[in-house]
Amino acid sequence: LPLNIGYRYRFSDLFILDTNIGIGIAFIPYSNHETSGGDLTNSGNIEDKPKITIFEASNKNPVYTDFHIQIGLGFDAGSILLQPQIIYSKSFKDYIRGTYQFNDLPDEPDFGGTFSQSGDYIGFQLGIRFKKKSE
C-alpha cells in the first residue's frame, strides 16, 4: 500500500520536473523453513557427500514499511510525454533473514554464515504517456 505525495512543475514548454516521496506498507505473514541438500559431488559414497543446510525466516511482526523517493524530468514530445525517473527505496527492516551451513566438504572445514534480504534498491523507471486527442 503506497502512500505518496507528488509535485510536478512545468518550467518550459518541453520540460516537466516530477518528484514523488512517500512510504510503502506491506503485510507479509511470518514463515520459516529449513532446507537441506546433498549430492554436491559424484564421490559415490553417500556418507561422504557434502551437505548444505539453509534456515530462513521472515520477521514475526508481519508489517513491513519502506521510504521511497523519485525524481525525474519529463520531456513533452508533442503527442507523448516521456518521463525517465530515478527511484530510491529504503526498507526499515529486513524481509528475510537466515543462516547457512556447509558440512562434509572434502579438504575443507565446515563453515557457514548469515544472510538477509532487505528490499532496499535504486532503480530507473521510464514512463510514457499519450496525450488525448482534442477535437
Side-chain angles (χ1 to χ4, degrees):
L1 173 67
L3 304 169
N4 299 319
I5 295 174
Y7 178 74
R8 280 198 183 141
Y9 176 73
R10 181 179 285 270
F11 56 90
S12 77
D13 289 340
L14 296 177
F15 299 106
I16 300 169
L17 177 66
D18 191 10
T19 60
N20 195 332
I21 190 169
I23 61 170
I25 301 171
F27 177 79
I28 303 173
Y30 173 75
S31 69
N32 65 9
H33 67 278
E34 185 172 323
T35 304
S36 292
D39 212 23
L40 299 177
T41 66
N42 294 323
S43 68
N45 188 348
I46 294 173
E47 290 84 27
D48 293 340
K49 292 188 178 183
K51 297 173 190 75
I52 180 172
T53 302
I54 299 173
F55 174 79
E56 62 183 55
S58 59
N59 288 302
K60 297 219 180 216
N61 181 351
V63 178
Y64 295 82
T65 55
D66 66 53
F67 167 80
H68 53 267
I69 185 167
Q70 305 177 201
I71 188 162
L73 187 63
F75 303 100
D76 190 347
S79 61
I80 61 172
L81 177 65
L82 298 174
Q83 292 181 288
Q85 293 184 328
I86 294 176
I87 304 166
Y88 173 72
S89 180
K90 174 69 177 158
S91 297
F92 294 115
K93 66 180 177 179
D94 293 337
Y95 291 120
I96 295 174
R97 289 177 179 256
T99 60
Y100 61 91
Q101 181 71 37
F102 285 95
N103 300 324
D104 303 327
L105 294 171
D107 303 322
E108 294 289 331
D110 294 351
F111 70 93
T114 62
F115 64 92
S116 66
Q117 179 181 357
S118 68
D120 298 351
Y121 68 91
I122 296 175
F124 177 77
Q125 174 179 310
L126 177 62
I128 301 173
R129 297 181 184 219
F130 299 97
K131 288 186 178 178
K132 292 181 181 178
K133 291 184 179 182
S134 58
E135 295 183 32

